[in-house]
Amino acid sequence: MSRDRLHLKAPDHWINDPNGFIYYQGNYHLFYQYFPYGTMWGTPHWGHAVSRDLVNWEHKGIALFPTKRGDQNGCFSGSAVEKDGRLYLVYTGVRYEEADPENIHLCLNSRMESVQMMISSADGFCFDNWNGKEVIIPPITDKSIGDRTDTRDPKIWRGKDGWYYLILGSTREGKQGRVLFYQSRDLHTWTYVNQAAKGSAYGWMWECPDYFQTRGGQVLMLSAMGIRVGEGAVGNHTICFPVEFREDNCELKIPDDWQLMDYGLDLYASQTAADEEGRAVMVAWLRMPEPDGDGRIGMFCSPRVAEVEGGHIYFRIHPNIRKAYSREISAPSQADPAGYMASFALEEGEEVDIGGFRIGRKGNRIYTDRSAVFPAGEDCRLASETPEVKKGFRVEALVDRNMVEVFVNDGEYVITNAVYGLGHSVAGNGAGNIRLYTVEAE
């Protein structure tokens, strides 16, 4: 099986959403949406990768694939939980009522039905796709609860009270995103308990919802479809809120103000898991416009620790990732193929050019410009910018062949961008404190 370091990438063809992220029996398991037949989205399978340290990943092949009426057109996104030593995966199964006759991997007119399904494994590696699946939440027919077509992406966790909880993304009549809460004692029988929403300005559909606890507070993170970011066009973006959640009645209090999970707007469909030390760790899918040089499309950002501080949600470089960049180098040409880290501080007007990818400071904001290292096209977004920074202007940029992650002030804000054709130089316009680090050779 293929291996990746620092950034988990498609083993071949196409991947998108991270799924089933969990620390289980000494391994980090990360499943993902996978189309094994081409470099485009199609009938979702679940690929599978494992890691001991969140740095070195080994692909384990296909874990889930369609076998039942409920998931005959795809095993869509979901999550994982451990119970009595077994690993349970919950996911959305989809059945098309009208498939595209020219491409059976696509649905016509959004005519499809969604159910929530579950499968388990004694070791986290072997799943019985033929006999081990069950429907735990059937199609929703009550529109006051959810939507028969657009209800998906269950995130599951075990509460402090011993019950299991599940949050689902949904919509109200295709106009207002919402999340649904279910509760179970045994993972097999689920009861609808409550829901939460904010209004049409927050997107028409909330997918990939994730409620989790961090050091400093509770967080709701979700991928809002049809939301406007600043002065930009309406799009699909991952946002997050500091929230208050009560397990006894699944009441979720969501504030009006939200922040982007990442200000590059290329990351989507994030998911968190508790790491070996209990920290909330987030990964997300990088939306790439075209395949890389090896004919693969799709990769994940480096694992990030989510924390709430002063009502603000930070996404910090995971300690294992930071530790991996252990060897100082003088030029990118000396870096391991897995990439390198560039560390520097920016004064007003200063800019660092990383192989054509520019990072600079304008006032109290950090900006990036990828116009020299990104394919031109319609709706091509080349520049990104943080809100006003509060704690200084320290930058750590994690540089991969097809992705640059710009961490400002240890995760106060992050800008992640897909790139193509990066050069092999780093130069600063007035920023003379640039230091480069890479990983030790395997």
Side-chain angles (χ1 to χ4, degrees):
M1 294 294 178
S2 62
R3 298 175 181 270
D4 288 318
R5 299 182 79 189
L6 296 174
H7 296 109
L8 183 62
K9 304 178 181 182
D12 53 35
H13 302 306
W14 168 282
I15 66 171
N16 53 290
D17 305 9
N19 295 156
F21 188 26
I22 189 171
Y23 183 70
Y24 171 75
Q25 294 186 0
N27 279 304
Y28 292 96
H29 292 254
L30 183 53
F31 302 83
Y32 48 85
Q33 297 288 276
Y34 176 44
F35 186 61
Y37 310 122
T39 53
M40 75 288 291
W41 186 91
T43 302
H45 299 51
W46 277 33
H48 184 197
V50 297
S51 174
R52 289 282 185 180
D53 57 6
L54 295 172
V55 175
N56 300 284
W57 293 93
E58 182 178 1
H59 289 276
K60 293 294 184 180
I62 294 175
L64 302 186
F65 54 90
T67 57
K68 303 296 182 183
R69 185 178 191 272
D71 66 7
Q72 70 182 41
N73 292 107
C75 303
F76 282 64
S77 290
S79 56
V81 72
E82 180 181 358
K83 180 179 184 292
D84 299 329
R86 292 185 69 87
L87 178 64
Y88 288 81
L89 303 179
V90 294
Y91 66 97
T92 299
V94 167
R95 179 180 64 84
Y96 294 164
E97 294 172 322
E98 186 177 5
D100 186 338
E102 299 302 317
N103 183 350
I104 62 170
H105 296 288
L106 302 178
C107 181
L108 284 183
N109 305 315
S110 298
R111 294 190 57 196
M112 59 185 178
E113 177 180 86
S114 299
V115 299
Q116 312 313 315
M117 302 182 68
M118 184 172 69
I119 190 172
S120 69
S121 168
D123 63 2
F125 294 95
C126 299
F127 296 90
D128 184 355
N129 281 268
W130 302 104
N131 303 300
K133 296 175 178 176
E134 64 178 295
V135 174
I136 56 172
I137 300 176
I140 296 176
T141 57
D142 186 343
K143 292 184 179 180
S144 69
I145 295 177
D147 189 87
R148 176 175 174 269
T149 296
D150 288 311
T151 296
R152 56 181 174 270
D153 310 335
K155 176 66 187 296
I156 190 172
W157 74 95
R158 188 175 188 269
K160 295 178 181 179
D161 57 4
W163 286 76
Y164 293 91
Y165 293 85
L166 185 151
I167 183 173
L168 277 168
S170 193
T171 180
R172 178 175 289 125
E173 297 179 348
K175 298 177 181 178
Q176 178 186 8
R178 56 179 158 175
V179 290
L180 317 178
F181 290 99
Y182 288 75
Q183 183 186 57
S184 174
R185 176 64 76 181
D186 62 3
L187 296 181
H188 300 280
T189 302
W190 291 86
T191 302
Y192 167 74
V193 182
N194 211 338
Q195 64 178 263
K198 283 301 294 181
S200 58
Y202 296 78
W204 73 267
M205 168 69 191
W206 285 358
E207 58 181 359
C208 301
D210 193 352
Y211 161 79
F212 56 96
Q213 302 255 3
T214 78
R215 188 181 73 177
Q218 303 166 313
V219 174
L220 174 69
M221 188 160 56
L222 53 88
S223 293
M225 303 182 72
I227 189 169
R228 187 181 302 278
V229 175
E231 300 299 321
V234 170
N236 304 334
H237 302 294
T238 299
I239 63 175
C240 48
F241 308 80
V243 295
E244 296 179 17
F245 178 74
R246 290 178 50 183
E247 287 185 350
D248 59 345
N249 62 359
C250 291
E251 180 186 24
L252 181 70
K253 294 183 179 179
I254 309 174
D256 292 337
D257 293 334
W258 52 270
Q259 67 183 73
L260 287 165
M261 177 267 291
D262 189 285
Y263 285 79
L265 301 182
D266 285 354
L267 291 183
Y268 196 69
S270 56
Q271 188 168 110
T272 62
D275 72 2
E276 189 176 6
E277 303 298 326
R279 294 170 290 221
V281 180
M282 184 277 293
V283 293
W285 163 51
L286 181 75
R287 295 184 282 196
M288 299 170 65
E290 60 185 46
D292 64 16
D294 298 319
R296 304 175 299 173
I297 186 166
M299 59 187 294
F300 299 133
C301 69
S302 60
R304 304 172 182 179
V305 177
E307 295 179 344
V308 178
E309 185 178 308
H312 181 77
I313 304 166
Y314 286 71
F315 293 96
R316 310 184 191 276
I317 299 172
H318 191 279
N320 292 10
I321 302 297
R322 183 181 296 281
K323 183 179 178 181
Y325 292 101
S326 58
R327 178 165 60 93
E328 189 163 5
I329 56 177
S330 58
S333 60
Q334 300 170 356
D336 184 89
Y340 61 94
M341 173 195 287
S343 177
F344 50 89
L346 289 170
E347 299 292 337
E348 168 64 20
E350 290 184 339
E351 188 174 88
V352 171
D353 187 313
I354 297 178
F357 182 86
R358 294 159 45 208
I359 306 169
R361 174 180 167 186
K362 185 184 301 182
N364 290 330
R365 302 173 189 265
I366 298 296
Y367 66 85
T368 65
D369 187 327
R370 60 176 172 185
S371 55
V373 288
F374 196 74
E378 293 183 10
D379 301 321
C380 184
R381 184 175 33 77
L382 300 175
S384 301
E385 186 179 78
T386 69
E388 290 200 353
V389 173
K390 302 174 183 177
K391 286 194 170 183
F393 301 92
R394 294 175 292 109
V395 173
E396 292 167 300
L398 308 189
V399 184
D400 188 279
R401 183 174 66 170
N402 287 107
M403 174 166 59
V404 180
E405 301 172 90
V406 179
F407 292 82
V408 180
N409 298 332
D410 192 23
E412 180 183 350
Y413 297 108
V414 189
I415 295 175
T416 302
N417 285 144
V419 294
Y420 295 82
L422 278 179
H424 298 289
S425 64
V426 175
N429 173 23
N433 58 344
I434 305 170
R435 304 184 72 174
L436 305 179
Y437 305 87
T438 191
V439 296
E440 295 291 343
E442 287 190 286

